[in-house]
Amino acid sequence: MAEATFHVFRGDAKGGDLVTYGVPVTEGMVVLDGIHYIQAHLDGTLACRWNCKAAKCGSCSAEINGHPRLMCKTRVDDFKGEPITVRPMKAFPVIKDLVSDVSWNYRVNKQIPPFTPSPYDPGPWKMYPEDVERLFEFRKCIECFLCQDVCHVLREHDGFDRYMGPRFMVRVAALEMHPKDTLSRTDLLRGSGGIGFCNITKCCEEVCPEHIHITDNAIIPLKERMADDYFDPWRSLLRVFGKKKEPRGT
Amino acid sequence: MADWYETFEHDVLVIGAGGAGMRAAIAAVEAGLSVGLVCKSLLGKAHTVMAEGGIAAALGNVDPRDNWQAHFIDTMRGGKLINDYRMVEIFAREVPDRVYELEQWGGLFDRTPDGKILQRPFGAHTYPRACHVGDRTGLELIRTLQDKAVHSRIEVYMEVTLTWLLKDAERIAGAFGYRREDGRFVLFRAKAVILATGGWGKVYKVTSNSWECTGDGCAMAYDAGAELMDMEMVQFHPTGMVWPPGVRGILVTEAVRGEGGVLRNSLGERFMERYDPKKKELSSRDVVARSIYEEVRAGRGSPHGGAFLDITHWEPEFIKRKLPSMYEQFLKLANIDITKSPMEVAPTVHYVMGGVRVEAGTGATTVPGLFAVGEVAAGLHGANRLGGNSLGDLLVFGKRAGEHAAAYVGGLRAAPQVDEHQAEEERTLLQRPFEGDGQENPFGLHEELQEVMSTHAGIARTGEGLAQGLEKVGALQKRVEGLRVGGSRLFNPGWHACRDVRFMLTLCEAIFRSAIERQESRGAHWRLDYPNQDPQWGTLNVVVYRDGKMKATTRPVPQMPLDLARLIQQTA
Ligand SMILES: Cc1cc2nc3c(=O)[nH]c(=O)nc-3n(C[C@H](O)[C@H](O)[C@H](O)COP(=O)(O)OP(=O)(O)OC[C@H]3O[C@@H](n4cnc5c(N)ncnc54)[C@H](O)[C@@H]3O)c2cc1C
Ligand code: SF4
Ligand code: SF4
Ligand code: FES
């Protein structure tokens, strides 16, 4: 049986190195299968996260031959017999082996004001297919944090205290564009959200396993909405007096 | 207090952050209590996230003839009448409100042209009833509850495994376990505990379930003295992926059949016409799974031992819109474009109808202060769960369990006291795999157990095979004492697997004992030596409990009042 060579990062917060394993290849095998083989047959202490093995839960994020990807969606035969190097996501601190500490994301999420419909509109609501379908793209996010991992504001410039990152731009966009939401989150975006730090390089969009158009459909429209709110005197007056935000085509 | 563990204290401790656990936690915190929510994975990753096809609720948006009575009848008949009718009635009446509530919390569903929630047909539902968002309904449900939970006062403990329920005499007093990250031990003091730990599909080899589904909660409840019910009822979903081997078992949602997918054998025959000429592919899961099994047995199976599921008669655009993740999944993992070629599918272990025996409206188990909800609880689905009925279950009974746990706590006169010795004993058990000279590999033992279950407790069973299986489980239970792992307690999957295997062995013993007890074929339980449904068994649930060792017995199914019984007869 053919064998694949896996170089897997082994180590913890204190440091570590690549360790090489030989893994028998089966038809249609994905990288996560290789990791599981190592766990079951070569070293039971190898740590990784996964849940669904079907690209639905966003747990198995890693950097495979330098590319941030889901291990369960990456086929071993894509590498045509070349060695496969698996490392944890670089932007977040390592806990052990392929498991990194992503708790920062959960703290950021908490700062985003939740969905807030009008108390005078109890439903059941009428919403038409065209009202909701453009939001489905954002709602598809599986929180794999791969976009966070590649965003250079976070990754290279360590901007964790300045910018929420693409995942949360997607989240805010889903809330802001919900036809029944009544809050405005533009203050947040401009302030601690740090949307201004994004310079639309689209690295995030390239790695998103859900093919969400993070910049084109979420970040740019949010930037425009913010510009409107802050530079259009009529709109900013509305904001000051706490009026319901207007539905807009973004 | 000992310093070898961290301690936390809550009024209500919810174990499990799938749909059931989150809904329960929200209800308990809204009652004004302090609530802790524990899960083995990161928040939002629980097994529920994988649910695809929909939430069954009789909104009547697509066919106005649908109502709670129709949902009640379908569910009872699907479950072959051994369901707890009281649970089914509550469920069918309340699930529409729970769906609308989800929408009020920000959940978004597919819509009808006139702006209502769209519904699709599912197996054995009389009318289109499954509210859905493409084929990622579970993600929408879990994200909506997660967003709600995050902004409440619920305290969340991620990547913590609890392994032992602590008691003060008969009452629940808390739970004990460890942090997966660094192996630190944790002790929770709580006045009430809600188990929402999901199912145990991982005891089988070919399954749609995530790694979390090792049935910890069910085994913990049994250890704490609760009764388990209908454990023989393991659901084989008719359509799991079969090829390539790495993807075996991954679910192909029932929505494919709901949207018009057709099943064919190797001769190209639409074989469901033979087994259920009326409903064909939309028959209930037990029937479709058995039919595929029969076709394969008769030598008419697909190349990898299954059947062909074909939806290519639809426009590619329609398929990509209605079933986007199916399309992606087959393209990426199996090199198959489902808009052009059929999918190859075979039955896969998917869901467990059995679980902890609970009181119908409250989720209370027989242990005071211990509640169970969601897949870990038994009673709603009887001998077979209909598609879409699980997600509704989580919402309806999640809310109720949270409220009733809060009421129980409100009625307590004195807080239960934790006995540290119980935690000390469990710590000893947990640490054992690091000591001694045993040679058993937990992953290897798990694989052997899966082999036993597939061979002896699969889709078709015999008394003889079950007895052999039970014996093999007994042998594995002895070997579990010799489990060994290397390394430290720092995020160590081998170590985690050791405790999981123990839990799974308990569950498998319960499955075998119950399956031996039920001498008939009903729903998911198919005995070749008792091939018919026996009316006498139709009034009985099988129950497993601990009395020194594990025992199986029967309990009468609650008898329906006349008006409900008549409803069912009228449509027979
Ligand atoms: C692929 C797939 C598709 C499905 N599609 C549908 C569908 O369309 N419609 C439908 O109605 N149903 C569907 N189902 C079934 C449904 O998803 C499940 O039955 C349901 O999600 C179970 O939810 P739960 O809340 O009971 O448990 P789970 O979602 O399994 O959550 C269990 C929780 O308990 C935690 N836990 C477990 N053990 C411990 C422990 N020892 N310590 C601490 N925490 C623990 C886990 O970490 C997890 O958070 C589908 C299932 C699958 C697999
Ligand atoms: S486009 Fe913006 S969010 Fe995306 S990677 Fe670049 S800077 Fe980060
Ligand atoms: S937006 Fe895409 S890449 Fe980012 S977390 Fe969500 S699914 Fe992952
Ligand atoms: S395991 Fe769920 S996304 Fe890979």
Side-chain angles (χ1 to χ4, degrees):
Chain A
M1 197 186 281
E3 217 177 60
T5 305
F6 273 64
H7 303 300
V8 183
F9 175 83
R10 302 300 310 269
D12 52 34
K14 294 193 256 353
D17 224 332
L18 292 175
V19 175
T20 302
Y21 303 95
V23 174
V25 177
T26 53
E27 189 170 344
M29 177 176 177
V30 292
V31 170
L32 186 61
D33 293 324
I35 298 296
H36 283 161
Y37 180 89
I38 298 169
Q39 280 183 335
H41 301 283
L42 306 174
D43 187 345
T45 67
L46 168 59
C48 79
R49 285 198 183 103
W50 73 284
N51 273 49
C52 67
K53 206 173 172 286
K56 292 198 175 98
C57 72
S59 305
C60 66
S61 310
E63 299 193 1
I64 305 170
N65 287 4
H67 296 286
R69 306 178 69 164
L70 297 176
M71 291 194 278
C72 69
K73 212 184 169 187
T74 306
R75 297 259 302 241
V76 166
D77 53 15
D78 285 352
F79 299 95
K80 311 224 167 13
E82 293 290 306
I84 298 171
T85 304
V86 194
R87 292 177 178 277
M89 285 192 281
K90 188 181 160 205
F92 303 105
V94 177
I95 293 175
K96 188 186 155 197
D97 305 340
L98 303 176
V99 175
S100 40
D101 178 1
V102 292
S103 56
W104 174 78
N105 294 285
Y106 288 88
R107 290 195 295 277
V108 169
N109 187 36
K110 264 195 176 173
Q111 297 166 20
I112 300 174
F115 174 64
T116 314
S118 157
Y120 308 109
D121 185 11
W125 290 330
K126 285 229 177 240
M127 288 189 277
Y128 295 91
E130 58 275 21
D131 296 335
V132 294
E133 270 164 17
R134 62 183 183 145
L135 292 176
F136 288 160
E137 179 183 14
F138 305 142
R139 301 287 294 184
K140 276 193 319 196
C141 169
I142 56 175
E143 295 205 324
C144 64
F145 305 131
L146 287 173
C147 57
Q148 306 286 82
D149 182 43
V150 289
C151 175
H152 59 93
V153 183
L154 305 176
R155 188 179 176 114
E156 263 96 57
H157 304 292
D158 203 21
F160 292 93
D161 56 345
R162 298 190 291 281
Y163 180 42
M164 289 182 157
R167 155 59 188 140
F168 297 104
M169 296 300 115
V170 168
R171 167 109 184 89
V172 173
L175 288 163
E176 285 286 292
M177 297 178 202
H178 192 298
K180 293 287 178 182
D181 182 69
T182 58
L183 279 189
S184 168
R185 295 168 189 78
T186 40
D187 282 344
L188 171 86
L189 286 173
R190 209 169 88 115
S192 60
I195 194 172
F197 287 99
C198 164
N199 49 14
I200 329 239
T201 54
K202 294 203 184 187
C203 315
C204 49
E205 212 168 279
E206 272 164 34
V207 299
C208 177
E210 286 293 314
H211 312 300
I212 300 172
H213 297 286
I214 304 175
T215 52
D216 289 349
N217 292 349
I219 298 180
I220 294 174
L222 285 177
K223 283 189 179 227
E224 284 168 358
R225 174 171 290 206
M226 217 178 53
D228 280 357
D229 275 1
Y230 280 89
F231 303 114
D232 178 328
W234 173 238
R235 284 229 171 91
S236 62
L237 219 72
L238 280 178
R239 200 167 46 82
V240 171
F241 292 109
K243 276 275 179 58
K244 192 180 171 310
K245 73 180 175 204
E246 300 167 49
R248 268 170 284 166
T250 44
Chain B
M1 192 197 80
D3 54 6
W4 53 272
Y5 55 76
E6 294 173 89
T7 312
F8 304 96
E9 193 163 340
H10 293 286
D11 294 320
V12 177
L13 176 67
V14 182
I15 312 182
M22 287 220 251
R23 188 61 192 84
I26 291 168
V29 89
E30 281 180 349
L33 300 188
S34 132
V35 178
L37 177 63
V38 180
C39 52
K40 292 200 285 189
S41 291
L42 295 171
L43 194 62
K45 312 285 184 199
H47 180 73
T48 301
V49 86
M50 296 157 70
E52 296 167 345
I55 312 176
L59 309 181
N61 287 353
V62 168
D63 191 326
R65 286 174 298 178
D66 202 12
N67 54 27
W68 78 261
Q69 287 93 340
H71 197 176
F72 176 84
I73 296 165
D74 289 345
T75 305
M76 288 301 298
R77 294 170 64 120
K80 306 293 179 225
L81 301 177
I82 59 163
N83 333 41
D84 183 330
Y85 81 88
R86 298 165 303 180
M87 282 176 96
V88 182
E89 181 179 355
I90 291 169
F91 168 69
R93 284 177 185 269
E94 292 182 6
V95 70
D97 285 346
R98 295 287 78 74
V99 168
Y100 285 129
E101 173 181 82
L102 220 51
E103 185 163 272
Q104 294 281 312
W105 293 350
L108 282 172
F109 295 93
D110 280 347
R111 315 300 294 187
T112 64
D114 58 343
K116 298 184 201 156
I117 293 177
L118 181 61
Q119 299 180 279
R120 66 164 49 128
F122 254 8
H125 284 299
T126 307
Y127 306 107
R129 188 178 289 148
C131 312
H132 61 276
V133 209
D135 49 11
R136 52 162 192 88
T137 313
L139 175 64
E140 190 66 22
L141 182 143
I142 212 160
R143 203 63 82 227
T144 305
L145 294 177
Q146 184 183 346
D147 293 341
K148 178 86 183 162
V150 159
H151 291 282
S152 68
R153 289 169 298 103
I154 298 166
E155 198 75 47
V156 181
Y157 304 85
M158 294 194 247
E159 302 199 305
V160 167
T161 299
L162 296 181
T163 57
W164 195 255
L165 296 173
L166 303 168
K167 285 176 46 175
D168 178 355
E170 284 314 301
R171 290 183 302 170
I172 279 295
F176 180 79
Y178 57 85
R179 287 186 188 274
R180 302 178 71 81
E181 182 181 325
D182 53 13
R184 263 181 300 165
F185 294 110
V186 287
L187 186 149
F188 288 88
R189 298 167 189 275
K191 298 178 186 135
V193 170
I194 302 176
L195 291 171
T197 50
W200 41 94
K202 275 286 158 190
V203 304
Y204 288 84
K205 193 159 58 186
V206 179
T207 175
S208 63
N209 285 194
S210 84
W211 69 268
E212 295 191 303
C213 302
T214 48
D216 312 3
C218 195
M220 279 192 268
Y222 168 80
D223 286 335
E227 287 185 346
L228 310 183
M229 188 168 92
D230 297 340
M231 294 298 286
E232 71 280 15
M233 296 300 175
V234 175
Q235 179 165 75
F236 289 77
H237 192 293
T239 62
M241 289 176 81
V242 273
W243 191 258
V247 300
R248 258 188 101 181
I250 294 183
L251 193 74
V252 178
T253 172
E254 189 158 317
V256 176
R257 282 173 288 140
E259 300 290 0
V262 167
L263 282 165
R264 294 189 196 282
N265 61 20
S266 59
L267 307 176
E269 294 168 328
R270 189 173 177 189
F271 58 84
M272 283 312 295
E273 284 171 345
R274 240 192 326 267
Y275 300 95
D276 185 348
K278 227 168 105 209
K279 299 195 198 117
K280 299 191 198 65
E281 283 79 8
L282 286 180
S283 188
S284 57
R285 289 178 177 173
D286 51 341
V287 175
V288 183
R290 268 203 301 276
S291 307
I292 296 177
Y293 184 88
E294 293 282 21
E295 288 299 305
V296 174
R297 226 169 35 157
R300 296 188 293 266
S302 66
H304 303 102
F308 296 108
L309 175 61
D310 194 351
I311 192 159
T312 54
H313 47 277
W314 286 113
E315 290 295 310
E317 280 323 304
F318 174 86
I319 298 171
K320 285 185 209 168
R321 186 158 44 86
K322 286 288 185 178
L323 302 162
S325 18
M326 281 295 105
Y327 173 75
E328 272 249 5
Q329 193 167 303
F330 271 91
L331 197 63
K332 184 73 204 163
L333 299 174
N335 296 336
I336 282 175
D337 180 346
I338 65 169
T339 67
K340 297 203 182 87
S341 6
M343 303 163 239
E344 204 183 337
V345 294
T348 179
V349 169
H350 181 59
Y351 186 84
V352 290
M353 275 72 73
V356 185
R357 185 160 175 255
V358 296
E359 198 178 275
T362 65
T365 69
T366 44
V367 177
L370 182 64
F371 298 77
V373 65
E375 195 169 343
V376 71
L380 176 62
H381 309 291
N384 176 45
R385 171 176 74 84
L386 303 190
N389 268 3
S390 167
L391 294 183
D393 171 13
L394 313 181
L395 298 172
V396 167
F397 294 102
K399 175 169 189 283
R400 282 178 163 262
E403 288 168 354
H404 285 279
Y408 167 86
V409 169
L412 278 181
R413 253 177 276 146
Q417 296 302 308
V418 161
D419 171 3
E420 253 188 51
H421 286 109
Q422 297 172 10
E424 182 66 54
E425 264 178 52
E426 176 63 11
R427 170 172 78 156
T428 310
L429 183 80
L430 285 168
Q431 282 181 322
R432 209 180 292 162
F434 289 115
E435 298 147 8
D437 53 7
Q439 295 294 322
E440 298 288 353
N441 171 348
F443 297 104
L445 219 58
H446 184 190
E447 260 176 48
E448 282 186 53
L449 179 62
Q450 291 178 324
E451 202 60 56
V452 172
M453 295 309 284
S454 310
T455 312
H456 298 288
I459 198 165
R461 306 164 173 184
T462 63
E464 202 184 330
L466 290 167
Q468 286 169 2
L470 181 61
E471 211 166 288
K472 290 186 185 173
V473 166
L476 290 175
Q477 275 168 340
K478 292 203 187 82
R479 282 169 54 194
V480 101
E481 302 305 327
L483 281 173
R484 287 301 172 265
V485 290
S488 70
R489 300 214 309 268
L490 190 71
F491 213 121
N492 186 340
W495 181 51
H496 301 160
C498 291
R499 192 63 176 100
D500 297 349
V501 170
R502 270 184 194 274
F503 284 138
M504 286 188 277
L505 283 165
T506 303
L507 293 170
C508 292
E509 182 183 345
I511 292 173
F512 278 116
R513 289 197 188 279
S514 307
I516 290 169
E517 189 75 11
R518 185 174 286 281
Q519 294 170 355
E520 64 155 350
S521 291
R522 179 176 297 270
H525 179 62
W526 185 24
R527 289 269 308 248
L528 298 174
D529 47 350
Y530 296 96
N532 300 318
Q533 195 164 301
D534 176 348
Q536 282 185 331
W537 275 102
T539 59
L540 297 172
N541 294 118
V542 177
V543 161
V544 155
Y545 63 101
R546 193 164 70 165
D547 180 10
K549 58 188 182 41
M550 190 183 283
K551 299 227 169 98
T553 182
T554 56
R555 296 250 187 278
V557 174
Q559 282 308 295
M560 267 186 276
L562 265 179
D563 54 328
L564 292 179
R566 243 181 243 130
L567 261 184
I568 305 242
Q569 279 153 12
Q570 275 163 13
T571 54

